[in-house]
Amino acid sequence: MATIKEVAMTAGVSVATVSRVLNQNGYVHEDTRRKVEDAIRQLNYTPNEVARSLYKRKSKLIGLLLPDITNPYFPQLARGVEDQMQENDYRLIFGNSDESRQKEMDYIQTFIQNNVVGVISSTNDPDADIYAGLNIPVVFLDRTSNDRPSVYADGREGGRIAAREMVRRGSKQITVLQGPAHVRPAIDRFEGAVEILQELNIPYEVLLTTSFSLTEAEDWAKELFYKYPDTDGIIASNDMVASAVLQEAHRLGKRVPEDVQIIGFDDIPLSKLLAPSLSTIHQPAYEMGREAADLLIQLIEGHHVERNSIQYSVKFIERQTTRKVDHDG
Amino acid sequence: MATIKEVAMTAGVSVATVSRVLNQNGYVHEDTRRKVEDAIRQLNYTPNEVARSLYKRKSKLIGLLLPDITNPYFPQLARGVEDQMQENDYRLIFGNSDESRQKEMDYIQTFIQNNVVGVISSTNDPDADIYAGLNIPVVFLDRTSNDRPSVYADGREGGRIAAREMVRRGSKQITVLQGPAHVRPAIDRFEGAVEILQELNIPYEVLLTTSFSLTEAEDWAKELFYKYPDTDGIIASNDMVASAVLQEAHRLGKRVPEDVQIIGFDDIPLSKLLAPSLSTIHQPAYEMGREAADLLIQLIEGHHVERNSIQYSVKFIERQTTRKVDHDG
DNA sequence: TTGTAAGCGTTATCAA
DNA sequence: TTGATAACGCTTACAA
């Protein structure tokens, strides 16, 4: 790797001049500019970002912290973030937190040590000290906290919608899968669903699950039908779990949606490939990722932002795990 | 962020001494060590990795370049890489290349500018100049090149296995989905399948597809059955495409596996959730990611490595999109 | 056992 | 319009 010094040497100027043409500031004569540019090309020089970062105390690096890239919902988010960042010349340092406080703190720590200029985080505790103490902008993605910058979907409303659609389609004994109690969006969905169920006075059962992992999901699906064999409507905490439930229903010879309806959450890409395809609550994950990245960039660059908390609305995607209903139904 | 200077001040020693306790080298008196450690704790000091990186001309950063994290095969790989790196105190700068030469080069470029100490890349052209010119170790993941460090699965053998299993289970008019012609693993799989089909003298058709994207996969599925309505066995280039094919078969009222058998590739987590669940060729993605990371670390740290090219064998996962066959079949 | 100072590759200030 | 040079925060000779 050539350095600015070598460029200066071969161009026959000082490093200051090279720096000036690099950053297009200060005066530099047309002829010298050309000489410098030639040298740069000749040596195939590109500036050392580390040195820049050290001097300016800021880099072109962003920290991205997601719970688990292996959960099919997150790649969409991640990709949205990456595309937007890439287009704006920011790079991502990426980590999985597994919803663990410790890992989260470790990552935030190293983000800072690497001079990142901003952080995008899906944390369950946006009000934790680590974030409060940060003197760089943070955008919470898929999570939120009072008036801190965040991009998220209306999980509670999603839960409500799921419950309403299920009831409207005739389920009388609904089971709600609660999802991990420490994962904020899971709580919201759950509460939304229960809110409506109580309001409508529909009997329901709750099955507590503790993660979004696929292998465990299969166990819960079994447990679900074992404990509540007569349930005729299941609101899952996400599409992964819903898929596992769907499969278990198949195994038990239950017809979906005739015997039991299922509604998932997230609308991950593969949910429409299931047979029957999965009715679910859609969140615009890719867009949300992009929006979070955009918001963060605005914050970093000190632009004025009108709204720093962006809630996306969710919508019901009617597919085949729910029954048809009259349009005026 | 406190600096080493401030630590030195509050501990009443020089920065050199602080550095010594930080890096546990050189002599330092027990008492001074304690004083320094107290100061560190008190100021909540952590070293600035950027400054370290500048001085040592190497960081604790690794570049990870994947085609598209949104393709369900890659999160497994990524997670394997991340876990292994994390445990060894390396962090990841992550990018999607979309199999595009330009994006790939841009990322490699910025990796270097950020002093990464190693790169893991899923590229279609490991012999490109960018890689040859790198003076840091590179491990190719899911791709390979003659005696350059790489971790990959035996795609060709996978193709062979798929073809054999399909023929063995009675398909007589097989269609092979070729997959993107510039994506190495897709080519291997395709060639392997065709090799066996020719050897066994089984008639087959080829449908050329140009990406692994899900939306396009749906179009190809339609095209497939339109062009070759009588096909009774489909070897897909990956599980995404296989899923789309499966769904289209459903739509057309074809019974799977009775009328048409389908074999996918990769064994992504959701393939077992499909109904019928998808028979496929399994690759140990997570492990491969970990192995690639481990290999890279060995290379970075200058340890001797016995084998720098690690080929994983693949295996047929018999599920429900293929027919049963006698065990001595 | 400890401190001084040079150097890593930049940018920005100041003087020329 | 240009060039010296200090500074960014750290590590490591080298001297004390």
Side-chain angles (χ1 to χ4, degrees), chain A residues 227-244:
Chain A
K227 275 189 161 168
Y228 312 114
D230 296 330
T231 188
D232 64 352
I234 294 159
I235 298 176
S237 45
N238 74 4
D239 287 348
M240 303 280 285
V241 178
S243 305

Side-chain angles (χ1 to χ4, degrees), chain A residues 1 46-51 53-54 61 67-70 72 75-76 78-79 82-83 86 91-96 98 103 106-107 109-110 112-115 214 218 240 243-244 247 250 268-270 272-275 277, chain B residues 1 46-51 53-54 61 67-70 72 75-76 78-79 82-83 86 91-96 98 103 106-107 109-110 112-115 214 218 240 243-244 247 250 268-270 272-275 277:
Chain A
M1 284 289 298
T46 57
N48 180 324
E49 287 296 333
V50 176
S53 173
L54 179 59
L61 260 19
D68 180 11
I69 194 69
T70 257
Q76 314 287 323
R79 189 65 212 253
E82 200 260 351
D83 284 356
Q86 212 271 91
R91 303 287 120 137
L92 256 26
I93 303 189
F94 168 74
N96 296 290
D98 289 320
K103 272 195 157 185
D106 288 353
Y107 262 111
Q109 183 61 38
T110 59
I112 296 177
Q113 293 180 268
N114 283 285
N115 271 181
L214 188 52
E218 294 174 328
M240 303 280 285
S243 305
Q247 197 180 50
H250 274 306
I268 62 175
L270 278 96
K272 67 157 148 344
L273 292 178
L274 296 177
S277 56
Chain B
M1 283 292 296
T46 58
N48 180 324
E49 286 296 334
V50 176
S53 172
L54 180 59
L61 262 19
D68 179 12
I69 194 69
T70 257
Q76 314 286 323
R79 189 64 213 253
E82 200 260 351
D83 284 355
Q86 212 272 91
R91 304 285 117 137
L92 257 26
I93 303 188
F94 168 73
N96 296 290
D98 289 320
K103 272 194 157 188
D106 288 353
Y107 261 111
Q109 184 61 39
T110 60
I112 296 177
Q113 293 180 269
N114 283 284
N115 271 180
L214 187 53
E218 294 175 327
M240 304 281 284
S243 305
Q247 195 179 51
H250 273 305
I268 62 176
L270 277 97
K272 69 155 148 339
L273 291 177
L274 297 177
S277 56

Side-chain angles (χ1 to χ4, degrees), chain B residues 94-287:
Chain B
F94 168 73
N96 296 290
S97 70
D98 289 320
E99 316 269 9
S100 135
R101 192 66 157 267
Q102 187 56 53
K103 272 194 157 188
E104 191 177 335
M105 290 186 43
D106 288 353
Y107 261 111
I108 297 292
Q109 184 61 39
T110 60
F111 287 166
I112 296 177
Q113 293 180 269
N114 283 284
N115 271 180
V116 303
V117 278
V119 169
I120 293 183
S121 169
S122 299
T123 181
N124 292 301
D125 192 3
D127 301 310
D129 293 346
I130 355 159
Y131 294 109
L134 246 43
N135 53 358
I136 50 172
V138 180
V139 169
F140 296 104
L141 179 53
D142 188 47
R143 313 288 158 110
T144 187
S145 151
N146 296 338
D147 58 52
R148 306 210 50 188
S150 45
V151 174
Y152 60 104
D154 191 347
R156 190 171 247 277
E157 178 63 13
R160 289 194 202 102
I161 295 175
R164 268 193 223 106
E165 296 292 342
M166 188 131 268
V167 170
R168 192 164 155 244
R169 285 168 169 73
S171 286
K172 305 259 185 275
Q173 306 211 44
I174 293 176
T175 306
V176 186
L177 291 176
Q178 178 167 356
H182 63 293
V183 177
R184 192 68 230 180
I187 300 173
D188 293 345
R189 295 164 189 189
F190 174 72
E191 291 181 349
V194 164
E195 176 190 325
I196 294 296
L197 262 13
Q198 291 182 337
E199 200 176 298
L200 297 179
N201 235 307
I202 303 287
Y204 66 92
E205 302 285 353
V206 173
L207 188 79
L208 216 142
T209 65
T210 54
S211 84
F212 280 144
S213 116
L214 187 53
T215 43
E216 296 180 77
E218 294 175 327
D219 296 337
W220 292 317
K222 287 197 197 339
E223 185 183 343
L224 163 68
F225 288 114
Y226 176 78
K227 274 188 161 168
Y228 312 115
D230 296 330
T231 187
D232 64 351
I234 295 160
I235 297 177
S237 44
N238 73 5
D239 287 348
M240 304 281 284
V241 178
S243 305
V245 168
L246 173 58
Q247 195 179 51
E248 180 65 11
H250 273 305
R251 241 182 33 89
L252 296 174
K254 292 179 185 283
R255 291 168 309 158
V256 179
E258 294 81 356
D259 300 335
V260 54
Q261 303 193 88
I262 302 174
I263 295 185
F265 223 109
D266 288 345
D267 194 22
I268 62 176
L270 277 97
S271 58
K272 69 155 148 339
L273 291 177
L274 297 177
S277 56
L278 186 67
S279 294
T280 189
I281 306 296
H282 173 84
Q283 309 192 50
Y286 179 80
E287 272 182 59

Side-chain angles (χ1 to χ4, degrees), chain A residues 14-28 33:
Chain A
S14 76
V15 295
T17 303
V18 177
S19 179
R20 275 184 210 105
V21 347
L22 243 33
N23 301 287
Q24 346 221 31
N25 57 19
Y27 296 85
V28 30
R33 147 163 289 113

Side-chain angles (χ1 to χ4, degrees), chain A residues 119 178 230 247 265 274 297-298 302 313:
Chain A
V119 169
Q178 176 167 358
D230 296 330
Q247 197 180 50
F265 223 109
L274 296 177
I297 292 172
Q298 300 308 316
S313 59

